[in-house]
Amino acid sequence: MNDKNKCNVNEEKNPLLTNTFMLKFDFEQTKSNIDKLMANIEEWKYSYINLTPPTITSSYEVHYEKHNSNVTDKIGEFVQKKVDMEKEIDKVYQKLKIVLEKLNREELDYFNMSYYNRKSETIIGSRLCVGHTQLLHIKKSCIIKIALGLEQAVRI
């Protein structure tokens, strides 16, 4: 089975959301919520080195890896707060992994290029071989699916 067939099956299972469905959400506010979360993830990536956000492999699989470390000295408020925060971040990363697995190839590419690699929409559209209108549809579908899964979607 070649990669193209694999992606086509994925597209059928997880099609883009319809425009009618997406109209039920305040896209700008929903996107703002996801942007804030992704900014937090960017900070966590460097502040909590035992945890890394889910990655997207070249075969479009979402991979989440947690580095286990045994904290032997939990003395002090700072250490306890850090341990508690790592638990909360781990929950977010696990949810994000599940949500990313439900995206189709185009949405996953959009997410990866936009949020992880900070590419411009012009470059993303070019790499996905889609025009502005289709890219906007992919973007909205991607962000709303992620927001729904992470309970960040704002309904109208």
Side-chain angles (χ1 to χ4, degrees):
M1 174 185 269
N2 64 30
D3 283 26
K4 186 173 181 176
N5 289 339
K6 183 177 179 182
C7 290
N8 286 340
V9 170
N10 191 22
E11 297 297 318
E12 291 173 11
K13 285 175 142 179
N14 300 312
L16 294 174
L17 298 175
T18 64
N19 285 325
T20 306
F21 181 77
M22 290 189 292
L23 287 174
K24 296 177 182 179
F25 301 91
D26 179 339
F27 178 72
E28 293 305 319
Q29 186 60 51
T30 298
K31 182 178 182 325
S32 176
N33 291 348
I34 296 303
D35 289 347
K36 287 176 192 171
L37 175 68
M38 294 310 296
N40 287 338
I41 287 174
E42 182 73 17
E43 181 182 334
W44 296 338
K45 193 167 41 172
Y46 301 107
S47 301
Y48 299 91
I49 57 174
N50 292 331
L51 302 171
T52 55
T55 57
I56 301 165
T57 68
S58 59
S59 62
Y60 296 103
E61 293 177 3
V62 179
H63 181 69
Y64 175 59
E65 188 175 308
K66 179 181 175 186
H67 304 286
N68 291 327
S69 64
N70 295 329
V71 178
T72 57
D73 182 14
K74 291 188 180 181
I75 297 175
E77 207 171 294
F78 175 77
V79 174
Q80 186 60 48
K81 283 183 182 179
K82 189 152 180 127
V83 169
D84 291 343
M85 188 62 180
E86 281 185 2
K87 288 179 184 176
E88 292 302 313
I89 292 169
D90 186 49
K91 287 179 190 175
V92 172
Y93 285 173
Q94 288 176 13
K95 280 184 182 179
L96 182 60
K97 178 188 181 290
I98 292 167
V99 170
L100 291 177
E101 288 174 341
K102 296 186 186 285
L103 300 182
N104 66 34
R105 183 190 56 79
E106 291 173 321
E107 293 163 332
L108 202 54
D109 276 345
Y110 177 84
F111 177 84
N112 194 32
M113 286 188 267
S114 177
Y115 286 106
Y116 281 172
N117 298 309
R118 292 190 214 101
K119 301 289 183 197
S120 70
E121 290 199 358
T122 304
I123 292 172
I124 296 170
S126 174
R127 290 193 181 164
L128 293 176
C129 299
V130 296
H132 177 71
T133 304
Q134 183 64 16
L135 181 63
L136 185 59
H137 190 123
I138 293 167
K139 173 183 176 178
K140 284 184 174 182
S141 181
C142 171
I143 290 172
I144 290 174
K145 282 182 181 180
I146 290 169
L148 285 168
L150 298 176
E151 300 171 3
Q152 298 289 317
V154 178
R155 292 187 183 266
I156 294 178

